[in-house]
Amino acid sequence: KAGVTQTPRYLIKTRGQQVTLSCSPISGHRSVSWYQQTPGQGLQFLFEYFSETQRNKGNFPGRFSGRQFSNSRSEMNVSTLELGDSALYLCASRRNPGLEAFFGQGTRLTVV
Amino acid sequence: GEDVEQSLFLSVREGDSSVINCTYTDSSSTYLYWYKQEPGAGLQLLTYIFSNMDMKQDQRLTVLLNKKDKHLSLRIADTQTGDSAIYFCAESVGTSYGKLTFGQGTILTVHP
């Protein structure tokens, strides 16, 4: 059974650009959550989607957005990139909210 | 509100037991999790416990939950060098099941 797949694995972007990250959950999982991991702030929750609806949102500026498609795949977008957005972005999927969350390998974003 | 605290470092000898501790503040926590992260990788779910349980054992892993003190621990028996990693404690709260609040992570170093 395939795990959570995140693409791309690595990205380098310039300040001011925008970026889109993709997450394909485990087959049958309908909940997808996104997290940002940095050395300074640790793991922080960005948002959660379930059945194409955002159910929960963390304390991030509006430059961070996401969506979920009917096949449960999710994308997150960061506009007007800042140096501080450099991080490992992790996606997690669940069969239902409340049960085990399985994480992908992450996308390492570097903003220069 | 949610807040999860962990000690930052733990060093043990191969073959010894490791005990990683975590405290949480939210009294309505429903699920408490332990994740492992190896360098350059995503998060691997090790085990989880419901907040109405006191203990859970899974092979070399034992989780103990003290609800009164809001203290969670992960014991790894017969620790091996391959167990060297960062271990994260996390909670999901009430109806916000899709949101995990993580501790800072404990860096476990296993010496031969």
Short mmCIF file of all heavy atoms in Angstrom, two decimals, chain A residues 16-68:
data_model
loop_
_atom_site.label_atom_id
_atom_site.label_comp_id
_atom_site.label_asym_id
_atom_site.label_seq_id
_atom_site.Cartn_x
_atom_site.Cartn_y
_atom_site.Cartn_z
N GLY A 16 9.58 36.67 -3.02
CA GLY A 16 8.56 37.32 -3.82
C GLY A 16 7.83 36.37 -4.77
O GLY A 16 6.72 36.69 -5.22
N GLN A 17 8.43 35.23 -5.05
CA GLN A 17 7.75 34.26 -5.92
C GLN A 17 6.67 33.53 -5.15
O GLN A 17 6.50 33.72 -3.94
CB GLN A 17 8.77 33.24 -6.46
CG GLN A 17 9.71 33.78 -7.52
CD GLN A 17 10.56 32.68 -8.12
OE1 GLN A 17 11.13 31.84 -7.40
NE2 GLN A 17 10.67 32.66 -9.44
N GLN A 18 5.92 32.71 -5.87
CA GLN A 18 4.95 31.85 -5.20
C GLN A 18 5.32 30.40 -5.48
O GLN A 18 6.07 30.10 -6.41
CB GLN A 18 3.53 32.15 -5.67
CG GLN A 18 3.21 31.66 -7.06
CD GLN A 18 1.71 31.51 -7.27
OE1 GLN A 18 0.88 31.92 -6.46
NE2 GLN A 18 1.34 30.89 -8.37
N VAL A 19 4.77 29.49 -4.66
CA VAL A 19 5.10 28.08 -4.81
C VAL A 19 3.86 27.24 -4.50
O VAL A 19 3.01 27.63 -3.68
CB VAL A 19 6.26 27.70 -3.85
CG1 VAL A 19 5.83 27.76 -2.40
CG2 VAL A 19 6.81 26.33 -4.20
N THR A 20 3.75 26.12 -5.19
CA THR A 20 2.66 25.16 -4.94
C THR A 20 3.25 23.81 -4.63
O THR A 20 4.10 23.31 -5.39
CB THR A 20 1.72 25.05 -6.16
OG1 THR A 20 1.14 26.33 -6.43
CG2 THR A 20 0.61 24.04 -5.90
N LEU A 21 2.82 23.24 -3.51
CA LEU A 21 3.28 21.92 -3.09
C LEU A 21 2.11 20.95 -3.18
O LEU A 21 0.96 21.33 -2.94
CB LEU A 21 3.79 21.97 -1.65
CG LEU A 21 4.77 23.09 -1.28
CD1 LEU A 21 5.20 22.95 0.18
CD2 LEU A 21 5.96 23.09 -2.20
N SER A 22 2.43 19.70 -3.48
CA SER A 22 1.36 18.72 -3.69
C SER A 22 1.49 17.56 -2.71
O SER A 22 2.58 17.18 -2.31
CB SER A 22 1.43 18.19 -5.13
OG SER A 22 0.45 17.22 -5.34
N CYS A 23 0.35 17.02 -2.35
CA CYS A 23 0.30 15.88 -1.42
C CYS A 23 -0.77 14.90 -1.89
O CYS A 23 -1.94 15.26 -2.03
CB CYS A 23 -0.03 16.37 -0.02
SG CYS A 23 -0.32 15.06 1.19
N SER A 24 -0.36 13.65 -2.09
CA SER A 24 -1.32 12.59 -2.40
C SER A 24 -1.44 11.68 -1.19
O SER A 24 -0.46 11.06 -0.79
CB SER A 24 -0.86 11.77 -3.62
OG SER A 24 -0.88 12.56 -4.77
N PRO A 25 -2.63 11.61 -0.59
CA PRO A 25 -2.77 10.83 0.64
C PRO A 25 -2.81 9.33 0.34
O PRO A 25 -2.87 8.91 -0.81
CB PRO A 25 -4.12 11.30 1.20
CG PRO A 25 -4.89 11.70 -0.02
CD PRO A 25 -3.88 12.27 -0.97
N ILE A 26 -2.77 8.56 1.39
CA ILE A 26 -2.93 7.11 1.28
C ILE A 26 -4.32 6.84 0.72
O ILE A 26 -5.30 7.52 1.10
CB ILE A 26 -2.74 6.46 2.67
CG1 ILE A 26 -1.29 6.62 3.11
CG2 ILE A 26 -3.13 4.98 2.64
CD1 ILE A 26 -1.05 6.24 4.56
N SER A 27 -4.41 5.86 -0.15
CA SER A 27 -5.68 5.53 -0.77
C SER A 27 -6.75 5.26 0.30
O SER A 27 -6.51 4.51 1.25
CB SER A 27 -5.51 4.27 -1.64
OG SER A 27 -6.73 3.89 -2.21
N GLY A 28 -7.89 5.91 0.14
CA GLY A 28 -8.98 5.74 1.10
C GLY A 28 -8.98 6.77 2.22
O GLY A 28 -9.96 6.90 2.95
N HIS A 29 -7.88 7.51 2.35
CA HIS A 29 -7.82 8.56 3.37
C HIS A 29 -8.41 9.84 2.81
O HIS A 29 -8.04 10.27 1.72
CB HIS A 29 -6.37 8.81 3.80
CG HIS A 29 -5.81 7.74 4.66
ND1 HIS A 29 -4.69 7.93 5.45
CD2 HIS A 29 -6.20 6.46 4.87
CE1 HIS A 29 -4.43 6.82 6.10
NE2 HIS A 29 -5.33 5.91 5.76
N ARG A 30 -9.30 10.47 3.57
CA ARG A 30 -9.96 11.67 3.08
C ARG A 30 -9.55 12.94 3.81
O ARG A 30 -9.93 14.03 3.44
CB ARG A 30 -11.48 11.48 3.19
CG ARG A 30 -12.00 10.40 2.25
CD ARG A 30 -13.39 9.96 2.61
NE ARG A 30 -14.33 11.07 2.52
CZ ARG A 30 -15.56 11.05 3.05
NH1 ARG A 30 -15.96 9.99 3.72
NH2 ARG A 30 -16.36 12.07 2.93
N SER A 31 -8.78 12.78 4.87
CA SER A 31 -8.32 13.95 5.62
C SER A 31 -6.85 14.21 5.33
O SER A 31 -6.04 13.28 5.41
CB SER A 31 -8.52 13.72 7.12
OG SER A 31 -7.83 14.68 7.87
N VAL A 32 -6.53 15.44 4.99
CA VAL A 32 -5.14 15.83 4.74
C VAL A 32 -4.82 17.07 5.56
O VAL A 32 -5.58 18.04 5.56
CB VAL A 32 -4.91 16.13 3.23
CG1 VAL A 32 -3.51 16.68 3.02
CG2 VAL A 32 -5.13 14.87 2.41
N SER A 33 -3.70 17.01 6.26
CA SER A 33 -3.24 18.16 7.06
C SER A 33 -1.85 18.56 6.59
O SER A 33 -1.09 17.71 6.11
CB SER A 33 -3.17 17.81 8.55
OG SER A 33 -4.42 17.38 9.02
N TRP A 34 -1.53 19.81 6.79
CA TRP A 34 -0.21 20.33 6.41
C TRP A 34 0.46 20.94 7.64
O TRP A 34 -0.19 21.60 8.48
CB TRP A 34 -0.36 21.43 5.35
CG TRP A 34 -0.77 20.92 3.99
CD1 TRP A 34 -2.04 20.74 3.52
CD2 TRP A 34 0.11 20.55 2.93
NE1 TRP A 34 -2.00 20.28 2.23
CE2 TRP A 34 -0.69 20.16 1.84
CE3 TRP A 34 1.50 20.52 2.77
CZ2 TRP A 34 -0.15 19.74 0.61
CZ3 TRP A 34 2.03 20.11 1.57
CH2 TRP A 34 1.21 19.73 0.51
N TYR A 35 1.78 20.74 7.70
CA TYR A 35 2.59 21.27 8.80
C TYR A 35 3.86 21.90 8.23
O TYR A 35 4.40 21.46 7.22
CB TYR A 35 2.99 20.15 9.77
CG TYR A 35 1.82 19.56 10.50
CD1 TYR A 35 1.02 18.59 9.90
CD2 TYR A 35 1.47 20.00 11.77
CE1 TYR A 35 -0.07 18.07 10.56
CE2 TYR A 35 0.38 19.47 12.45
CZ TYR A 35 -0.39 18.51 11.83
OH TYR A 35 -1.48 18.00 12.48
N GLN A 36 4.33 22.92 8.96
CA GLN A 36 5.61 23.53 8.63
C GLN A 36 6.60 23.17 9.73
O GLN A 36 6.28 23.29 10.92
CB GLN A 36 5.46 25.06 8.56
CG GLN A 36 6.74 25.79 8.20
CD GLN A 36 6.67 27.28 8.51
OE1 GLN A 36 6.54 27.68 9.66
NE2 GLN A 36 6.73 28.11 7.47
N GLN A 37 7.79 22.73 9.35
CA GLN A 37 8.81 22.40 10.34
C GLN A 37 10.05 23.27 10.11
O GLN A 37 10.64 23.23 9.03
CB GLN A 37 9.20 20.92 10.28
CG GLN A 37 10.17 20.52 11.38
CD GLN A 37 10.51 19.04 11.38
OE1 GLN A 37 10.45 18.38 10.36
NE2 GLN A 37 10.87 18.51 12.54
N THR A 38 10.41 24.04 11.11
CA THR A 38 11.61 24.86 11.08
C THR A 38 12.41 24.63 12.35
O THR A 38 11.84 24.24 13.38
CB THR A 38 11.28 26.36 10.99
OG1 THR A 38 10.48 26.73 12.14
CG2 THR A 38 10.52 26.70 9.73
N PRO A 39 13.73 24.87 12.31
CA PRO A 39 14.53 24.68 13.53
C PRO A 39 14.07 25.59 14.67
O PRO A 39 14.09 25.19 15.82
CB PRO A 39 15.95 25.04 13.06
CG PRO A 39 15.94 24.80 11.59
CD PRO A 39 14.56 25.18 11.14
N GLY A 40 13.62 26.78 14.34
CA GLY A 40 13.27 27.73 15.39
C GLY A 40 11.89 27.51 15.98
O GLY A 40 11.70 27.60 17.19
N GLN A 41 10.92 27.21 15.16
CA GLN A 41 9.52 27.10 15.60
C GLN A 41 9.03 25.67 15.74
O GLN A 41 7.93 25.44 16.24
CB GLN A 41 8.60 27.84 14.62
CG GLN A 41 8.89 29.32 14.52
CD GLN A 41 8.69 30.02 15.83
OE1 GLN A 41 7.71 29.79 16.53
NE2 GLN A 41 9.63 30.88 16.19
N GLY A 42 9.83 24.71 15.29
CA GLY A 42 9.41 23.32 15.39
C GLY A 42 8.32 23.00 14.38
O GLY A 42 8.26 23.57 13.29
N LEU A 43 7.44 22.10 14.76
CA LEU A 43 6.35 21.65 13.88
C LEU A 43 5.10 22.45 14.18
O LEU A 43 4.60 22.42 15.30
CB LEU A 43 6.07 20.17 14.11
CG LEU A 43 7.00 19.20 13.44
CD1 LEU A 43 7.07 17.89 14.20
CD2 LEU A 43 6.53 18.94 12.00
N GLN A 44 4.61 23.14 13.17
CA GLN A 44 3.42 23.97 13.37
C GLN A 44 2.35 23.59 12.35
O GLN A 44 2.64 23.42 11.16
CB GLN A 44 3.79 25.44 13.22
CG GLN A 44 4.70 25.95 14.33
CD GLN A 44 4.85 27.45 14.25
OE1 GLN A 44 5.50 27.98 13.36
NE2 GLN A 44 4.25 28.15 15.19
N PHE A 45 1.14 23.54 12.84
CA PHE A 45 -0.02 23.17 12.03
C PHE A 45 -0.41 24.32 11.11
O PHE A 45 -0.54 25.47 11.55
CB PHE A 45 -1.17 22.82 12.97
CG PHE A 45 -2.49 22.60 12.29
CD1 PHE A 45 -2.76 21.42 11.63
CD2 PHE A 45 -3.46 23.58 12.34
CE1 PHE A 45 -3.99 21.21 11.03
CE2 PHE A 45 -4.70 23.39 11.75
CZ PHE A 45 -4.96 22.20 11.09
N LEU A 46 -0.59 23.99 9.84
CA LEU A 46 -1.02 24.99 8.87
C LEU A 46 -2.53 24.93 8.65
O LEU A 46 -3.25 25.89 8.89
CB LEU A 46 -0.30 24.78 7.53
CG LEU A 46 1.12 25.32 7.46
CD1 LEU A 46 1.93 24.57 6.42
CD2 LEU A 46 1.09 26.81 7.14
N PHE A 47 -3.02 23.81 8.13
CA PHE A 47 -4.45 23.62 7.93
C PHE A 47 -4.77 22.16 7.68
O PHE A 47 -3.88 21.35 7.43
CB PHE A 47 -5.03 24.47 6.77
CG PHE A 47 -4.05 24.86 5.69
CD1 PHE A 47 -3.47 23.90 4.87
CD2 PHE A 47 -3.72 26.19 5.50
CE1 PHE A 47 -2.58 24.26 3.89
CE2 PHE A 47 -2.83 26.57 4.51
CZ PHE A 47 -2.26 25.60 3.71
N GLU A 48 -6.07 21.87 7.76
CA GLU A 48 -6.56 20.51 7.54
C GLU A 48 -7.74 20.57 6.58
O GLU A 48 -8.62 21.44 6.70
CB GLU A 48 -7.01 19.86 8.85
CG GLU A 48 -7.49 18.42 8.64
CD GLU A 48 -8.61 18.04 9.58
OE1 GLU A 48 -9.05 18.86 10.40
OE2 GLU A 48 -9.08 16.89 9.49
N TYR A 49 -7.76 19.62 5.66
CA TYR A 49 -8.86 19.49 4.74
C TYR A 49 -9.50 18.12 4.87
O TYR A 49 -8.81 17.12 5.09
CB TYR A 49 -8.39 19.70 3.29
CG TYR A 49 -8.07 21.13 3.00
CD1 TYR A 49 -6.81 21.64 3.26
CD2 TYR A 49 -9.04 21.99 2.51
CE1 TYR A 49 -6.53 22.97 3.03
CE2 TYR A 49 -8.77 23.32 2.27
CZ TYR A 49 -7.51 23.81 2.54
OH TYR A 49 -7.23 25.12 2.31
N PHE A 50 -10.81 18.09 4.77
CA PHE A 50 -11.56 16.85 4.80
C PHE A 50 -12.71 16.98 3.81
O PHE A 50 -13.49 17.92 3.89
CB PHE A 50 -12.09 16.57 6.21
CG PHE A 50 -12.88 15.31 6.34
CD1 PHE A 50 -12.25 14.08 6.30
CD2 PHE A 50 -14.26 15.34 6.49
CE1 PHE A 50 -12.97 12.90 6.42
CE2 PHE A 50 -14.98 14.18 6.61
CZ PHE A 50 -14.34 12.95 6.57
N SER A 51 -12.79 16.03 2.89
CA SER A 51 -13.82 16.08 1.85
C SER A 51 -13.90 17.44 1.20
O SER A 51 -14.99 18.04 1.09
CB SER A 51 -15.19 15.71 2.45
OG SER A 51 -15.20 14.36 2.85
N GLU A 52 -12.76 17.94 0.78
CA GLU A 52 -12.62 19.19 0.01
C GLU A 52 -12.93 20.45 0.81
O GLU A 52 -12.99 21.54 0.23
CB GLU A 52 -13.49 19.14 -1.25
CG GLU A 52 -13.18 17.97 -2.17
CD GLU A 52 -14.09 17.93 -3.39
OE1 GLU A 52 -14.00 18.86 -4.22
OE2 GLU A 52 -14.88 16.97 -3.51
N THR A 53 -13.13 20.33 2.10
CA THR A 53 -13.47 21.49 2.93
C THR A 53 -12.37 21.72 3.96
O THR A 53 -11.89 20.76 4.58
CB THR A 53 -14.81 21.27 3.67
OG1 THR A 53 -15.83 21.03 2.71
CG2 THR A 53 -15.18 22.47 4.52
N GLN A 54 -12.00 22.98 4.16
CA GLN A 54 -11.02 23.28 5.20
C GLN A 54 -11.72 23.19 6.55
O GLN A 54 -12.68 23.92 6.83
CB GLN A 54 -10.44 24.68 5.01
CG GLN A 54 -9.27 24.97 5.96
CD GLN A 54 -8.71 26.37 5.76
OE1 GLN A 54 -9.18 27.34 6.35
NE2 GLN A 54 -7.69 26.47 4.93
N ARG A 55 -11.20 22.31 7.43
CA ARG A 55 -11.86 22.09 8.73
C ARG A 55 -11.18 22.84 9.85
O ARG A 55 -11.76 23.07 10.89
CB ARG A 55 -11.85 20.60 9.06
CG ARG A 55 -12.74 19.75 8.19
CD ARG A 55 -12.52 18.30 8.50
NE ARG A 55 -12.86 17.99 9.88
CZ ARG A 55 -14.05 17.54 10.27
NH1 ARG A 55 -15.02 17.39 9.39
NH2 ARG A 55 -14.27 17.25 11.52
N ASN A 56 -9.92 23.17 9.65
CA ASN A 56 -9.14 23.75 10.73
C ASN A 56 -8.01 24.56 10.12
O ASN A 56 -7.48 24.17 9.05
CB ASN A 56 -8.56 22.62 11.59
CG ASN A 56 -8.61 22.93 13.06
OD1 ASN A 56 -8.57 24.08 13.47
ND2 ASN A 56 -8.68 21.89 13.87
N LYS A 57 -7.62 25.64 10.79
CA LYS A 57 -6.56 26.46 10.23
C LYS A 57 -5.65 26.92 11.36
O LYS A 57 -6.14 27.29 12.45
CB LYS A 57 -7.16 27.69 9.53
CG LYS A 57 -6.17 28.49 8.73
CD LYS A 57 -6.90 29.60 7.97
CE LYS A 57 -5.98 30.30 6.97
NZ LYS A 57 -4.74 30.83 7.56
N GLY A 58 -4.36 26.91 11.14
CA GLY A 58 -3.40 27.38 12.12
C GLY A 58 -3.18 28.88 12.01
O GLY A 58 -3.84 29.57 11.23
N ASN A 59 -2.24 29.37 12.79
CA ASN A 59 -1.97 30.81 12.84
C ASN A 59 -0.90 31.22 11.83
O ASN A 59 0.21 31.57 12.21
CB ASN A 59 -1.55 31.22 14.25
CG ASN A 59 -2.65 31.01 15.25
OD1 ASN A 59 -3.83 31.21 14.94
ND2 ASN A 59 -2.29 30.58 16.44
N PHE A 60 -1.24 31.15 10.60
CA PHE A 60 -0.33 31.56 9.55
C PHE A 60 -0.99 32.67 8.73
O PHE A 60 -2.22 32.74 8.64
CB PHE A 60 0.00 30.37 8.63
CG PHE A 60 1.08 29.49 9.18
CD1 PHE A 60 0.78 28.52 10.12
CD2 PHE A 60 2.40 29.64 8.78
CE1 PHE A 60 1.77 27.71 10.65
CE2 PHE A 60 3.40 28.84 9.29
CZ PHE A 60 3.09 27.86 10.23
N PRO A 61 -0.17 33.55 8.13
CA PRO A 61 -0.76 34.63 7.34
C PRO A 61 -1.51 34.11 6.11
O PRO A 61 -1.34 32.96 5.70
CB PRO A 61 0.45 35.48 6.93
CG PRO A 61 1.64 34.61 7.13
CD PRO A 61 1.30 33.62 8.19
N GLY A 62 -2.30 34.98 5.53
CA GLY A 62 -3.12 34.61 4.38
C GLY A 62 -2.32 34.23 3.15
O GLY A 62 -2.88 33.69 2.19
N ARG A 63 -1.00 34.47 3.17
CA ARG A 63 -0.16 34.05 2.04
C ARG A 63 -0.13 32.53 1.90
O ARG A 63 0.20 32.00 0.85
CB ARG A 63 1.28 34.54 2.23
CG ARG A 63 1.45 36.04 2.33
CD ARG A 63 2.92 36.43 2.40
NE ARG A 63 3.61 35.93 3.56
CZ ARG A 63 4.49 34.92 3.55
NH1 ARG A 63 4.79 34.32 2.42
NH2 ARG A 63 5.08 34.54 4.67
N PHE A 64 -0.47 31.86 2.98
CA PHE A 64 -0.51 30.40 2.99
C PHE A 64 -1.95 29.95 2.73
O PHE A 64 -2.87 30.32 3.48
CB PHE A 64 -0.03 29.84 4.33
CG PHE A 64 1.43 30.06 4.59
CD1 PHE A 64 1.88 31.29 5.06
CD2 PHE A 64 2.34 29.05 4.37
CE1 PHE A 64 3.24 31.50 5.31
CE2 PHE A 64 3.69 29.25 4.61
CZ PHE A 64 4.15 30.47 5.08
N SER A 65 -2.13 29.18 1.71
CA SER A 65 -3.48 28.70 1.39
C SER A 65 -3.40 27.26 0.91
O SER A 65 -2.32 26.76 0.60
CB SER A 65 -4.12 29.58 0.32
OG SER A 65 -3.39 29.50 -0.90
N GLY A 66 -4.55 26.63 0.87
CA GLY A 66 -4.55 25.24 0.42
C GLY A 66 -5.88 24.90 -0.21
O GLY A 66 -6.82 25.70 -0.22
N ARG A 67 -5.93 23.71 -0.76
CA ARG A 67 -7.19 23.20 -1.27
C ARG A 67 -7.09 21.68 -1.36
O ARG A 67 -5.99 21.11 -1.31
CB ARG A 67 -7.52 23.79 -2.64
CG ARG A 67 -6.49 23.55 -3.72
CD ARG A 67 -6.98 24.16 -5.02
NE ARG A 67 -5.96 24.05 -6.08
CZ ARG A 67 -6.23 24.30 -7.36
NH1 ARG A 67 -7.44 24.65 -7.75
NH2 ARG A 67 -5.28 24.19 -8.28
N GLN A 68 -8.25 21.07 -1.48
CA GLN A 68 -8.29 19.62 -1.62
C GLN A 68 -9.22 19.29 -2.77
O GLN A 68 -10.29 19.89 -2.93
CB GLN A 68 -8.78 18.95 -0.33
CG GLN A 68 -8.68 17.43 -0.39
CD GLN A 68 -9.17 16.78 0.90
OE1 GLN A 68 -10.09 17.28 1.55
NE2 GLN A 68 -8.57 15.67 1.28
#
